[in-house]
Amino acid sequence: MAAATTKTRVRHPVFARIYPRVNRFAEAHGATEHRRELLADATGCVVEVGAGGGATFRHYPPQVSRVIAVEPEPRLRRLARLVSAEAPVPVEVRAGQAEELPLADGSADGVVVSLVLCSLADVPRALAEARRVLRPGGSLYFYEHVRSTHARLARKQRLLDRVWPLFAGGCRLTRDSEQAVIDAGFSIQRVRRFDFVINGRTTPSSPCVIGVGRKP
Ligand SMILES: C[S@@+](CC[C@H](N)C(=O)[O-])C[C@H]1O[C@@H](n2cnc3c(N)ncnc32)[C@H](O)[C@@H]1O
């Protein structure tokens, strides 16, 4: 486990009530397919960081032998535990934070972050933790909304970021999560950038990335 301890507690009671509904809406408009794409090649023992209410659990493919899901927010963690009973693979839900994962070095074949890097206080530290718990050659699977490459939308995201985190559980719109994964020392194996357009509308969180990074 990481040497330093993280004192920050993650509690977003209002967001935790609303998020499952927001997620169901997103899944009905394409996020289900995104989650399947994210997890298609996952295999062996997988650590899911910031699992929320367990929305990814039902999408793990049979070649995944076990999922250890880490979620710091108490209400979402309770929901994840309920949902884990219905998962097609064994899922254990643990309390913990991305910056200090409750797992041994090199113990995972894969780490999953799904719409999580946007919400973390310390992304480099969290990705260093993901690297630590992965075995050499292990994979980081990431699905994130990111900063737009279009100047106009990027400007809108920057402005919105002044208030957005207050309503969205600390989420920020302006992160370049693919670059953060590269900066953390992962080599990108595959990546797809796209706009998640819902009912023909581009939203501030439309620019997305789904990819896999490999630990050397
Ligand atoms: C937008 S939700 C995504 C939930 C889920 N991964 C999904 O795909 O639906 C962001 C999640 O990140 C979690 N989170 C926030 N800060 C965290 C931290 N420091 N460590 C781990 N998870 C964190 C939140 O509690 C929440 O469950």
Side-chain angles (χ1 to χ4, degrees), residues 161-179:
D161 249 3
R162 295 177 187 174
V163 291
W164 188 274
L166 301 174
F167 302 103
C171 163
R172 296 187 173 274
L173 294 163
T174 48
R175 297 229 158 124
D176 184 349
S177 295
E178 182 186 348
Q179 190 57 50

Side-chain angles (χ1 to χ4, degrees), residues 40-183:
D41 316 328
T43 177
C45 175
V46 173
V47 176
E48 183 175 337
V49 180
T56 54
F57 295 169
R58 67 194 168 103
H59 302 299
Y60 279 99
Q63 65 268 22
V64 169
S65 55
R66 177 184 187 210
V67 176
I68 299 165
V70 178
E71 171 53 48
E73 212 294 321
R75 189 182 179 94
L76 288 172
R77 191 167 62 244
R78 277 197 297 279
L79 179 58
R81 287 208 169 108
L82 284 176
V83 170
S84 69
E86 308 289 320
V89 301
V91 178
E92 180 195 339
V93 180
R94 293 186 188 173
Q97 298 201 14
E99 299 85 350
E100 194 176 350
L101 291 173
L103 287 134
D105 296 3
S107 56
D109 299 297
V111 170
V112 170
V113 282
S114 162
L115 307 172
V116 165
L117 297 180
C118 55
S119 301
L120 301 179
D122 190 341
V123 174
R125 182 167 168 182
L127 290 173
E129 272 293 270
R131 252 188 93 151
R132 179 184 67 75
V133 303
L134 276 172
R135 64 167 170 77
S139 296
L140 174 74
Y141 304 92
F142 55 98
Y143 165 34
E144 297 289 333
H145 64 79
V146 292
R147 182 167 69 215
S148 176
T149 52
H150 298 286
R152 204 164 152 196
L153 182 53
R155 197 162 46 244
K156 196 171 173 182
Q157 289 175 318
R158 271 200 308 279
L159 285 172
L160 274 171
D161 249 3
R162 295 177 187 174
V163 291
W164 188 274
L166 301 174
F167 302 103
C171 163
R172 296 187 173 274
L173 294 163
T174 48
R175 297 229 158 124
D176 184 349
S177 295
E178 182 186 348
Q179 190 57 50
V181 168
I182 294 167
D183 293 345

